[in-house]
Amino acid sequence: MFCAKCGNQIAENSGFCSGCGAGAAAAPTAAARAVPPSLQLTAVTGFFEEVASVSMREIAGVDQKRAGDILKSPIFLLLLLVSVVPLAIEGLQGNDTILNGLAIWSGTLWALLIYRLFAGRQVSVGWAFGTVFFTFFIGIPLLLLYLQLPGTVFNFLESVGFFPLTLAANILGTGVREELTKAIPLFLMVRLTVRMKNPIEGIVLGMMSGIGFAVAENVLYAYTNLNSAMSNVRNTGQMIYLVGPIYQNVVRMATTPFFHGCLAGIFGYFIALAAADRQRRWPLFVAGLAIAASLHGIYDALVPRSPMWGVIVETVTYFLLLTYVLKAHGVASAKELADGLFDSPLAPRAPAVGHSETV
């Protein structure tokens, strides 16, 4: 037998509890212990009412001001862009719209990341994304016209199969023309505004133009690769021909915005230097174009031989760009660029030197 008050066990012949001193009550009979079904139902419904009341209290705790702050929060908008927008794109009508939507989504993510890492306070968001969409909507149509001019010469050089000629065709036929196309908005800014005399602006806006170029190019390549694959499927009846192009398009959308951005950022750095130093503007301009176009052409010539060559060239390109970023920011260590990047915004900050906190 146990005490009804404190729960301690009571000796059989004892009339009170040794723990709390309460008198021992007689054990209830089986009939007394039985709970009517109506009471059981009442207990269950009462439990769910209590759960509902707790949930309502939690929901009601989000006031209008806090809800507005969440909707305007960069963290909320960024994660929404990453996680929800692809599903919304899937619901669009037409393959053209879906492909353009996915390409723009991929480019926007890269543009946000690069802007966060390199722009600082020297380049506004409006100028950055305006450059992305200028190249996407205007630069690519101009490039398509440009490619029709001496294209047959470079195609012939590539068809010979001699690597030095293939490399020259990729540097002059692809690298020079595409890097000049990505630089169009930067040339306009040099001519029409007071911008582009700061190397940071040259790098960031160049990278944004490169991203816009990659977004449009990825859509173009997606159609080209898929049309070729569908033709092979119709001729052979084997669906395996679709696997490679689909994989290649996924890789292109994931990686080429960054690579094109790095190449255009390198050229943009030299364009900004040329805009600031009028006496050396042509040597600086030619040097920047030569570096960007050569890296571009080397990549295009080597990647068909092995993707690992592309990894090496892209890594070297990014490393070179980062040296220009350090020079433009006037910092000696790349670690300084990441100060605060991985710090939690909710973590307590240490007090400044020379000041004390009062409790």
Side-chain angles (χ1 to χ4, degrees):
M1 186 169 59
F2 296 89
C3 175
K5 185 175 181 181
C6 68
N8 287 334
Q9 187 173 6
I10 301 175
E12 293 183 3
N13 299 327
S14 176
F16 63 93
C17 174
S18 60
C20 65
T29 63
R33 289 196 299 268
V35 180
S38 60
L39 294 179
Q40 292 179 357
L41 180 60
T42 302
V44 172
T45 56
F47 172 75
F48 282 108
E49 288 176 358
E50 185 176 353
V51 172
S53 67
V54 171
S55 300
M56 289 303 296
R57 284 198 300 269
E58 292 293 331
I59 294 173
V62 181
D63 55 26
Q64 184 176 359
K65 181 181 182 304
R66 187 174 298 175
D69 290 342
I70 291 174
L71 292 174
K72 292 184 291 186
S73 167
I75 294 176
F76 174 79
L77 295 175
L78 176 61
L79 294 181
L80 201 67
L81 175 66
V82 174
S83 60
V84 177
V85 169
L87 186 61
I89 292 172
E90 186 181 1
L92 298 175
Q93 299 296 321
N95 293 333
D96 295 357
T97 309
I98 292 175
L99 279 176
N100 280 280
L102 288 174
I104 292 173
W105 171 75
S106 171
T108 301
L109 291 180
W110 274 113
L112 286 172
L113 178 60
I114 288 172
Y115 184 84
R116 172 65 181 85
L117 290 173
F118 300 141
R121 298 181 178 179
Q122 295 164 314
V123 183
S124 68
V125 175
W127 278 100
F129 281 87
T131 305
V132 172
F133 290 107
F134 177 92
T135 303
F136 176 75
F137 289 108
I138 298 177
I140 286 294
L142 293 176
L143 175 64
L144 294 177
L145 294 175
Y146 188 20
L147 290 176
Q148 295 175 7
L149 299 179
T152 56
V153 175
F154 299 116
N155 291 337
F156 171 75
L157 292 178
E158 280 198 77
S159 66
V160 173
F162 183 51
F163 181 73
L165 293 179
T166 301
L167 181 60
N170 279 282
I171 292 175
L172 299 175
T174 303
V176 170
R177 290 189 289 188
E178 291 192 3
E179 296 310 317
L180 285 174
T181 300
K182 288 184 281 186
I184 290 174
L186 278 64
F187 296 151
L188 292 176
M189 281 184 246
V190 170
R191 193 71 178 170
L192 303 177
T193 72
V194 295
R195 292 182 175 275
M196 293 301 300
K197 293 186 178 181
N198 185 323
I200 290 297
E201 291 182 329
I203 292 172
V204 173
L205 294 177
M207 295 186 79
M208 294 297 162
S209 182
I211 290 171
F213 181 92
V215 167
E217 187 185 55
N218 286 340
V219 175
L220 182 63
Y221 271 99
Y223 278 112
T224 303
N225 292 339
L226 289 177
N227 288 337
S228 176
M230 290 303 298
S231 176
N232 291 330
V233 170
R234 285 191 294 268
N235 294 333
T236 64
Q238 298 182 13
M239 298 298 292
I240 190 66
Y241 285 101
L242 284 174
V243 175
I246 291 174
Y247 172 74
Q248 290 170 2
N249 288 335
V250 170
V251 172
R252 286 192 64 87
M253 286 194 178
T255 62
T256 55
F258 176 69
F259 183 57
H260 274 294
C262 288
L263 293 170
I266 290 173
F267 192 19
Y269 172 76
F270 282 92
I271 292 174
L273 292 181
D277 187 352
R278 303 291 293 176
Q279 292 184 343
R280 295 195 305 151
R281 61 182 182 275
W282 287 112
L284 289 169
F285 173 83
V286 173
L289 178 60
I291 294 170
S294 296
L295 290 170
H296 193 152
I298 291 170
Y299 178 92
D300 287 350
L302 291 178
V303 163
R305 296 170 180 257
S306 171
M308 292 309 299
W309 283 113
V311 172
I312 294 172
V313 176
E314 190 166 336
T315 301
V316 170
T317 302
Y318 175 50
F319 181 86
L320 183 61
L321 172 74
L322 207 56
T323 64
Y324 299 144
V325 172
L326 294 179
K327 292 178 182 178
H329 276 290
V331 296
S333 172
K335 292 181 179 179
E336 297 182 45
L337 296 175
D339 283 349
L341 181 62
F342 299 105
D343 294 341
S344 171
L346 302 179
R349 297 183 179 179
V353 179
H355 295 274
S356 61
E357 290 185 340
T358 58
V359 179

